[in-house]
Amino acid sequence: MSAPRPPLRLAVALDAPPGSGAPVPYDARHFVALARLAERGGLDFVTLGDSFARPGLDASAVLARVAPATEHLGLVPTVTTTHTEPFHVSTAVATLDWVSRGRAGWAVAVSTTEADAALFGRRPAAPPAEVWQEAGEVADVVARLWDSWEDDAEIRDRASGRFIDRDKVHHVDFTGSSFTVRGPSIVPRPPQGRPVTLVEVPPAAGPADAPGAGDTADVSDRAVREVAAAHADVALVRADDPQTAGAALAELLARARALGRDPDLLLVLASLPVELAGPADAAGLAELLADWYAAGAADGFHLRPADPAHDLALLVDGTVPALRDRGLRRPGRPGGTLRDHLGLPRPASRYAHA
Amino acid sequence: MSPTSPTPPPRKQIHLAAHFPGVNNTTVWADPGSGSHIAFPSFAHLARTAERGLFDFFFLAEGLRLREHKGRIHDLDVVGRPESLTVLSALAAVTERLGLAATVSATFNEPYELARRLASLDHLSGGRAAWNVVTTSDAFTGENFRRGGYLDRADRYTRAAEFVATARELWDSWTADGQPRPIAHQGEHFTVRGEFTVPRSPQGHPVVIQAGDSPEGREFAASAADVIFTRHSGAEAGRAFYADVKGRLARYGRRPGDLKIMPGVTFVLGDTAAEAQEHAAEIRRRQVSPQQALLALEQVWGVDLSAYDPDGPLPDIDPDPHGELAQGRVRIADPKAVADKWRALSRAKGLSIRETVIETTGRQSFVGTAQDVAARMDAFVQTDAADGFILVPHLTPGGLDPFVDRVVPLLQERGVFRTAYSGSTLRSHLGLPEPARTGGRGGRP
């Protein structure tokens, strides 16, 4: 007999989809109210999208503002890797983990537009395959920087006068295709060891050597999936049906396995747009999610409400209780950190001596 | 009051800010009352204490590379700190009025991204954000960044000045009726084209702080800063600095009140003057452990002195002018002169290595009873040695509590410190006007 499946993971996007016409919020109260609602519903985490050329506040600042106003909710801002400094990305996400006591993640994103490039004026826009390859390097060095302080590096030894044991703080000496980072981090290892890394992957999952694999789109899609398979704790897949989602899941796990990763350490969530007219829709959504989950299409779901302020209340009061009734969501929380919510172990520092 | 009695001039109001301490040997981590320098409750405690004391702002320094000594990571001081803007965004949730100031290097950031992050903090805090603009001097720090190494001194300041000007172009780019206007900045260091994604905040835009004392730094502050964070905590040096910097403002069409001068200072309180002095001496001893004393010596001499006894005499050998033991610290300009001075002091007073270091590096600005400290701070400000102070406690996170409990009420009694916040933005605390919208392209007539 197989072990019982873990509860399905459930997350929601706090930002309205681009082009929805909703007014752009700049007030902290808006985000705090939504996050508290999500927390009341027992969701595992919220995401907040970001890009440099779209109206709105810096997502990671917003979720840092939300952190002390919430207690349990995982907080996952989008952080781009193309025009930013990998060192700064690493310290900002680590700090979000510190201020939220272990509830931080980040969704890796890239900038491919000329509009974004012009705001920085430092280098021209590059093709997606290229910036995604760089994003993978950034995810790699960011995790190394998180590991660069072993957990017990701070010793405060009065006898020897030493505040840290410097043998437990490590240079990372990372060389990527477009940057180098000497390290170590300036921020001690965050509470989760490594905050949770998310990558959103495109749904189409053709074999790498299939005809047409040389297309730009396929090359870049493959680059995204490589990054997810190599570095993500959670992959988000946009799919219209459980077959497509399930195929993407199988493919991602196969790639992760081929890279030598334990596939149990990569969760795949189906990312679905939702628009709920009322309680009946919310209950219907629960049924749909249960069916997809039963079909093995995903480890859980990332829901993207058309109007978060409206739809989130229906999700929390309608969909979540219906999932609980089916035994697919537990009533309490198993631990304090986002990794605990997701059932992902806390990784050891790669630099720690056995 | 008789109608002929002259009205006394209004007393200058003191501005106060709190610096979260760490990452140097002034922070006494070995004290039993010392808490975490990383966990959020420490930051929340100091910020709430500062807000309870009606301070203008809370100040965070920046670290971009762990210091090294003899090629190894420096292990004696508090090391490690979180990223400033993220901590301050979180502190905006647990404070209501307190200004929130982040130190961020203009050398290893890009204007669009940093302007956006600062503007985000300004909105999320309801108009309480400040940016302490610093430049970074060394290739050692550069090894953590894409652009790598080094800018020479002049380039660092032209880059910083253009950085601030570009950030202000972005912050000012929305019209009064809430529409973004595209900017097209083309300068020596930056090319920025496009629309800013964040409107003006409740205080117009973030307050700009400058730290640094070089002629370039003073000029930059006079042209571009709202607050200058100085090291001149002595009255005479303070007055000279104050007169010099305020005198530079007119050249930029600014008035003396447009730039607040705030030295970083420490304080030690006691119930009597003698008790305060004793406590201060004890703190200095704790700041300079035997290991710290040898380290301080090695930083001057530039050579390994680990064989010396910290309780013994200073070395007879001269410093190696090319010795480069320490990285990530400001270089000492003339090591031989410093060594000679230290040796002369040691001989004259019969001081050991450790005692000499305590004597030469101890920086305690205000030591005394609460009454003494309040009176001296007041006199300091009334005689134009400063507009206020950035207080650096020795202890985290509770080091500011005694000041707020004991000195602030006395400053209020003297009529030189607020008894309530009159506004909600940092600019209103500092008495700075909301900045005018610059630039006319696409603006309203």
Side-chain angles (χ1 to χ4, degrees), chain B residues 384-423:
Chain B
D384 285 348
D387 294 311
F389 306 96
I390 298 179
L391 301 178
V392 192
H394 301 108
L395 199 57
T396 302
L400 188 65
D401 295 53
F403 186 92
V404 165
D405 293 334
R406 297 167 67 184
V407 181
V408 165
L410 298 173
L411 295 173
Q412 290 168 329
E413 271 175 33
R414 301 176 79 91
V416 295
F417 191 66
R418 66 173 65 91
T419 54
Y421 286 115
S422 58

Side-chain angles (χ1 to χ4, degrees), chain B residues 6-358:
Chain B
T7 315
R11 294 179 68 70
K12 262 176 82 180
Q13 294 295 299
I14 297 178
H15 295 281
L16 292 175
H19 186 308
F20 188 92
V23 196
N24 53 51
N25 75 319
T26 57
T27 301
V28 183
W29 57 260
D31 189 290
S34 168
S36 173
H37 288 77
I38 298 296
F40 185 64
S42 288
F43 294 89
H45 180 99
L46 188 73
R48 285 176 170 141
T49 304
E51 184 161 271
R52 182 161 65 78
L54 306 172
F55 279 37
D56 289 16
F57 61 91
F58 172 97
F59 183 94
L60 280 177
E62 179 183 52
L64 297 175
R65 177 96 195 245
L66 296 183
R67 282 178 283 149
E68 295 185 8
H69 187 73
K70 299 181 196 173
R72 304 192 67 194
I73 289 162
H74 176 57
D75 60 359
L76 300 179
D77 297 339
V78 170
V79 293
R81 52 174 133 212
E83 187 271 318
S84 297
L85 284 165
T86 305
V87 171
L88 295 178
S89 298
L91 287 175
V94 299
T95 54
E96 288 178 10
R97 304 287 189 105
L98 186 69
L100 302 166
T103 301
V104 188
S105 170
T107 307
F108 297 117
N109 284 279
E110 297 299 318
Y112 183 83
E113 184 196 8
L114 183 56
R116 186 166 176 270
R117 296 189 73 208
L118 286 160
S120 296
L121 174 64
D122 213 13
H123 277 274
L124 293 167
S125 63
R128 299 189 276 139
W131 172 29
N132 177 38
V133 185
V134 294
T135 61
T136 315
S137 61
D138 50 279
F140 175 72
T141 305
E143 285 178 352
N144 282 333
F145 298 98
R146 286 182 191 270
R147 65 175 303 279
Y150 177 81
L151 283 174
D152 69 31
R153 184 172 204 94
D155 278 351
R156 277 192 283 137
Y157 274 101
T158 59
R159 180 180 162 101
E162 190 183 330
F163 199 124
V164 173
T166 309
R168 285 193 168 131
E169 279 183 67
L170 292 162
W171 292 332
D172 287 342
S173 67
W174 283 51
T175 62
D177 51 7
Q179 296 301 315
R181 292 174 296 186
I183 82 156
H185 174 96
Q186 173 76 60
E188 187 189 338
H189 295 274
F190 306 109
T191 304
V192 179
R193 282 181 291 110
E195 284 179 5
F196 196 49
T197 65
V198 184
R200 276 166 73 95
S201 83
Q203 66 169 349
H205 51 63
V207 166
V208 171
I209 304 174
Q210 193 270 337
D213 190 35
S214 64
E216 296 95 329
R218 292 181 187 206
E219 206 60 30
F220 173 53
S223 69
D226 300 306
V227 175
I228 181 163
F229 179 6
T230 85
R231 288 166 180 267
H232 294 287
S233 58
E236 206 170 307
R239 276 189 286 275
F241 179 81
Y242 192 98
D244 177 72
V245 172
K246 297 264 178 171
R248 294 173 190 247
L249 288 165
R251 243 176 289 166
Y252 301 97
R254 305 180 71 200
R255 294 163 307 163
D258 292 347
L259 175 64
K260 305 298 182 206
I261 296 180
M262 299 178 72
V265 299
T266 59
F267 60 91
V268 181
L269 303 178
D271 290 337
T272 63
E275 188 193 300
Q277 289 297 345
E278 208 173 295
H279 188 192
E282 176 57 28
I283 290 170
R284 282 201 297 272
R285 275 187 68 76
R286 288 179 167 209
Q287 289 169 330
V288 184
S289 65
Q291 298 89 347
Q292 291 280 10
L294 285 182
L295 179 85
L297 218 60
E298 287 177 338
Q299 282 168 355
V300 175
W301 262 256
V303 293
D304 185 340
L305 300 174
S306 53
Y308 283 78
D309 176 3
D311 296 320
L314 268 68
D316 291 331
I317 55 165
D318 276 340
D320 173 1
H322 307 292
E324 295 222 8
L325 287 185
Q327 289 190 289
R329 267 186 190 274
V330 177
R331 298 260 314 139
I332 292 164
D334 185 352
K336 173 80 163 63
V338 175
D340 288 344
K341 205 173 92 187
W342 285 18
R343 282 192 289 224
L345 179 76
S346 163
R347 273 193 303 272
K349 293 196 176 182
L351 302 179
S352 69
I353 287 174
R354 187 178 180 200
E355 289 161 342
T356 304
V357 173
I358 288 171

